[in-house]
Amino acid sequence: MFDRLFKRPHVVVRHQKGPLAEERLRYLAFHAEQQMSQLTLQGIARYTLVVARALRLADRPRELITQNEIEVEAERWANRLPKWPTVRLFHFARRNFKGYAMRWLRFLGRLQLPATVQRPYAKKVAQFTDHQLRERGASPQTVEYCSGTIHRFLAQVEEAGLRLKTLTIAQVDELLAKQVRAAEYARSTIRSRVGVLRTFFRFAERPGW
C-alpha cells in the first residue's frame, strides 16, 4: 500500500523499513475500507510512522501507552521541528500528533485509558450539550469542542475554590487570562472560547445555575 500512496522511491522505502510496518499497513487497510481519500491515508501513514518512532513502540511490544506520555512526546516532537511561524501552527502540529497517536493506539489495543474521574458540573454540561444538539442543531464536532472548552474552564473554577452559582465577571476574566497566559492562545482561539463560555453562561442563567 505504501507504494500506492507515495511516488518517491525513498519515501516508500522509509515507510516499508520503518518500525511496526505490518501494524501500520493493517491500520491503513482498515481506513481504506472506509473509503477514505488518498490525502487522508497519506496523513495517516506519515503520522503513524512518526508516532511509532517517537514513542519507540517496536521496543515496547506489549506495553500500554498513557495519554500523558503521548502529550509529552507530542510537545517534544513539535519542538524538534523547524521553528513554527506562529504559535497557532505549533499547537496544530502538537494536536495532530496526539490525535493520530491516540486513534492508532486505541486501534492496536495499546492505549492506557485513564481512570474515570467525575468532572465538576458534569451533569450541567451534559444538559447544555444535549440542548445544543437537539434544539440548536449544532454538529457533533462543534458540541465536542464546546464540551471540552467548558469542562476545562469549570475545572479551573473548582481548582480556584470558586462556585458556578456565585461566579462574577471579574473572576471569569481572571480565569480566562490565566488560560491565555499558560497556553499562549491565538486571538481567534480566545474569541472562540469566550463565545462558547458566553453561550453556556446564558443557558446556565435560566435555571439559576
Side-chain angles (χ1 to χ4, degrees):
M1 177 172 287
F2 294 133
D3 57 356
R4 297 205 305 270
L5 292 177
F6 303 102
K7 301 298 183 185
R8 296 180 179 177
H10 72 279
V11 175
V12 174
V13 170
R14 184 167 70 239
H15 282 273
Q16 290 173 336
K17 301 294 186 182
L20 300 185
E22 185 178 333
E23 288 85 347
R24 288 184 286 112
L25 281 170
R26 191 165 72 245
Y27 189 54
L28 282 168
F30 167 77
H31 284 292
E33 290 174 1
Q34 315 305 313
Q35 305 299 313
M36 289 195 171
S37 70
Q38 177 99 346
L39 189 62
T40 299
L41 292 174
Q42 287 173 346
I44 292 171
R46 291 190 183 99
Y47 270 96
T48 50
L49 179 58
V50 166
V51 168
R53 285 174 170 164
L55 293 172
R56 299 177 293 103
L57 297 180
D59 300 331
R60 314 154 63 186
R62 288 178 291 277
E63 191 174 334
L64 295 178
I65 312 300
T66 66
Q67 292 187 31
N68 183 63
E69 183 179 354
I70 293 170
E71 289 172 359
V72 169
E73 200 53 53
E75 182 92 18
R76 185 178 298 142
W77 171 77
N79 276 317
R80 284 199 300 263
L81 296 173
K83 186 173 178 60
W84 293 97
T86 66
V87 172
R88 185 179 183 183
L89 286 175
F90 170 82
H91 289 309
F92 177 78
R94 185 180 60 182
R95 186 174 67 244
N96 266 2
F97 180 103
K98 180 181 174 183
Y100 280 101
M102 290 184 64
R103 288 190 291 272
W104 185 37
L105 290 169
R106 189 178 289 114
F107 175 84
L108 295 175
R110 293 189 58 182
L111 179 64
Q112 177 69 62
L113 298 175
T116 303
V117 178
Q118 182 62 36
R119 290 171 161 176
Y121 308 102
K123 290 183 178 179
K124 290 178 170 56
V125 177
Q127 288 181 45
F128 169 75
T129 54
D130 184 67
H131 172 78
Q132 293 295 99
L133 273 172
R134 296 175 183 275
E135 305 297 328
R136 303 299 298 273
S139 70
Q141 292 82 2
T142 298
V143 169
E144 183 180 359
Y145 172 79
C146 292
S147 175
T149 298
I150 297 164
H151 276 304
R152 281 189 290 273
F153 182 79
L154 292 178
Q156 272 191 291
V157 171
E158 189 87 349
E159 288 166 6
L162 303 172
R163 295 174 58 233
L164 179 61
K165 180 80 173 176
T166 56
L167 203 60
T168 67
I169 293 174
Q171 289 167 341
V172 171
D173 284 345
E174 184 179 350
L175 292 172
L176 283 172
K178 285 182 180 178
Q179 274 192 1
V180 172
R181 286 195 299 270
E184 297 182 343
Y185 290 130
R187 290 185 179 181
S188 58
T189 303
I190 297 168
R191 284 196 299 270
S192 177
R193 292 187 178 226
V194 168
V196 169
L197 292 174
R198 186 181 290 118
T199 303
F200 173 70
F201 290 144
R202 286 196 189 112
F203 180 84
E205 187 177 17
R206 286 182 298 219
W209 295 347

